[in-house]
Amino acid sequence: MGVNEYGLAVAMTFVMTAPQKIQAGFNSCFIVRYLLEKAKDTKQAISLLCNLPIASNCNILLADKSGRMVVVECTPSVKKI
Protein backbone atom coordinates (compact mmCIF):
# COMPACT_ATOMS: atom_id res chain seq x y z
CA MET A 1 0.00 0.00 0.00
CA GLY A 2 1.05 3.57 -0.49
CA VAL A 3 -0.11 7.17 -0.73
CA ASN A 4 1.26 9.59 -3.32
CA GLU A 5 1.81 13.35 -3.19
CA TYR A 6 -1.74 13.98 -4.51
CA GLY A 7 -3.41 12.06 -1.68
CA LEU A 8 -4.22 8.97 -3.74
CA ALA A 9 -3.99 5.76 -1.72
CA VAL A 10 -3.54 2.46 -3.54
CA ALA A 11 -3.52 -0.97 -1.91
CA MET A 12 -3.83 -4.52 -3.13
CA THR A 13 -4.68 -8.03 -2.17
CA PHE A 14 -3.64 -10.84 -4.43
CA VAL A 15 -5.61 -14.01 -5.07
CA MET A 16 -3.93 -17.29 -5.90
CA THR A 17 -4.13 -17.91 -9.62
CA ALA A 18 -3.71 -21.31 -11.24
CA PRO A 19 -0.30 -21.29 -12.97
CA GLN A 20 -1.81 -22.08 -16.37
CA LYS A 21 -4.06 -18.99 -16.11
CA ILE A 22 -1.26 -16.47 -15.44
CA GLN A 23 -0.65 -14.23 -18.45
CA ALA A 24 1.85 -11.58 -19.47
CA GLY A 25 1.10 -8.32 -17.67
CA PHE A 26 1.37 -6.41 -14.41
CA ASN A 27 1.16 -8.23 -11.09
CA SER A 28 -0.55 -6.65 -8.08
CA CYS A 29 2.64 -5.12 -6.60
CA PHE A 30 3.59 -3.45 -9.87
CA ILE A 31 0.03 -2.17 -10.32
CA VAL A 32 0.23 -0.36 -6.97
CA ARG A 33 3.56 1.22 -7.85
CA TYR A 34 2.42 2.22 -11.36
CA LEU A 35 -0.79 3.86 -10.17
CA LEU A 36 0.95 5.76 -7.37
CA GLU A 37 3.44 7.15 -9.89
CA LYS A 38 0.97 7.98 -12.69
CA ALA A 39 -2.44 8.84 -11.16
CA LYS A 40 -3.63 11.91 -9.26
CA ASP A 41 -7.04 10.64 -8.16
CA THR A 42 -9.33 7.62 -8.15
CA LYS A 43 -10.92 8.46 -11.50
CA GLN A 44 -7.56 8.68 -13.26
CA ALA A 45 -6.33 5.52 -11.53
CA ILE A 46 -9.39 3.58 -12.75
CA SER A 47 -8.79 4.80 -16.29
CA LEU A 48 -5.14 3.74 -16.19
CA LEU A 49 -5.94 0.41 -14.56
CA CYS A 50 -8.58 -0.46 -17.14
CA ASN A 51 -5.93 -0.22 -19.87
CA LEU A 52 -3.27 -2.32 -18.11
CA PRO A 53 -2.65 -5.96 -18.96
CA ILE A 54 -3.12 -7.97 -15.75
CA ALA A 55 -0.98 -11.04 -15.08
CA SER A 56 -2.97 -12.71 -12.31
CA ASN A 57 -5.99 -12.32 -10.04
CA CYS A 58 -5.95 -9.42 -7.57
CA ASN A 59 -8.05 -6.73 -5.92
CA ILE A 60 -6.90 -3.11 -6.17
CA LEU A 61 -8.25 -0.66 -3.60
CA LEU A 62 -8.25 3.04 -4.49
CA ALA A 63 -9.10 6.08 -2.38
CA ASP A 64 -8.39 9.76 -2.97
CA LYS A 65 -8.46 12.88 -0.81
CA SER A 66 -11.96 13.79 -2.03
CA GLY A 67 -13.28 10.61 -0.41
CA ARG A 68 -13.94 8.61 -3.59
CA MET A 69 -13.13 4.95 -2.90
CA VAL A 70 -13.43 1.88 -5.11
CA VAL A 71 -12.28 -1.71 -5.28
CA VAL A 72 -11.37 -3.15 -8.67
CA GLU A 73 -11.44 -6.93 -8.95
CA CYS A 74 -8.92 -7.89 -11.62
CA THR A 75 -8.24 -11.06 -13.55
CA PRO A 76 -6.19 -11.45 -16.73
CA SER A 77 -9.42 -11.30 -18.74
CA VAL A 78 -11.89 -9.16 -16.72
CA LYS A 79 -11.87 -6.09 -14.46
CA LYS A 80 -14.91 -5.31 -12.27
CA ILE A 81 -15.23 -1.97 -10.46
Side-chain angles (χ1 to χ4, degrees), residues 23-39:
Q23 297 183 9
F26 284 57
N27 70 28
S28 56
C29 295
F30 286 116
I31 292 169
V32 170
R33 175 77 185 253
Y34 179 83
L35 295 177
L36 287 172
E37 290 182 8
K38 301 290 184 183

Side-chain angles (χ1 to χ4, degrees), residues 9-81:
V10 182
M12 62 81 180
T13 59
F14 68 93
V15 181
M16 292 303 293
T17 305
Q20 66 273 19
K21 293 188 178 184
I22 296 173
Q23 297 183 9
F26 284 57
N27 70 28
S28 56
C29 295
F30 286 116
I31 292 169
V32 170
R33 175 77 185 253
Y34 179 83
L35 295 177
L36 287 172
E37 290 182 8
K38 301 290 184 183
K40 294 182 179 179
D41 57 27
T42 299
K43 183 178 178 180
Q44 187 178 25
I46 291 168
S47 178
L48 290 167
L49 182 55
C50 285
N51 291 308
L52 287 179
I54 305 298
S56 58
N57 302 341
C58 63
N59 298 312
I60 303 298
L61 297 80
L62 305 166
D64 63 27
K65 65 182 180 180
S66 74
R68 181 168 164 92
M69 296 183 289
V70 299
V71 174
V72 183
E73 297 176 353
C74 302
T75 72
S77 58
V78 178
K79 296 177 189 96
K80 292 186 180 183
I81 301 168

